[in-house]
Amino acid sequence: MINDQAPAAPPVPDAAPPVTGSSAGRIVAGLLVLAFAGVTGLFAPFLVMASDGCSGDDARTICSVGAQQVVGNLPVIAAFVAAVLAVVGMGSGGSAGRRCLLAAPGLLVAAWVVSLALAST
């Protein structure tokens, strides 16, 4: 006798944790943010060297002392704050941790945009 019906496959449990809410996902995201903060804190202050070609009567923004201070200090301060936010985001679960991990790269991008804008004008 031939059986025309295939045996039913056993159900596969869907017990995998979501990546966005898992602690491993938070750790990986936090480490990426910390790496971005390190790169920002180390290399963005070099944008002050855009003022090397300034002369006494140069009207570019980067030639003013205030703009040089902002371009030099803003990335370092933003990198420190972003690193603190990344550590808080890695350590706390829930929406507070996700908000910290989302705010940190936004802060770093804003610091790069402001520094590049001041250095290029």
Side-chain angles (χ1 to χ4, degrees), residues 56-108:
D57 58 348
D58 205 341
R60 292 183 297 157
T61 306
I62 192 61
C63 294
S64 70
V65 175
Q68 291 174 6
Q69 292 288 331
V70 170
V71 169
N73 292 328
L74 178 67
V76 175
I77 295 168
F80 177 75
V81 173
V84 170
L85 285 172
V87 170
V88 169
M90 286 190 292
S92 65
S95 65
R98 280 191 289 269
R99 281 185 288 196
C100 287
L101 286 175
L102 288 174
L107 177 66
L108 293 171

Side-chain angles (χ1 to χ4, degrees), residues 2-62:
I2 299 174
N3 188 358
D4 290 336
Q5 286 184 334
V12 178
D14 189 20
V19 176
T20 57
S22 68
S23 59
R26 282 195 322 267
I27 298 291
V28 169
L31 290 175
L32 288 172
V33 170
L34 285 174
F36 187 25
V39 168
T40 300
L42 288 174
F43 295 116
F46 287 126
L47 292 173
V48 173
M49 290 192 301
S51 66
D52 285 349
C54 292
S55 61
D57 58 348
D58 205 341
R60 292 183 297 157
T61 306
I62 192 61

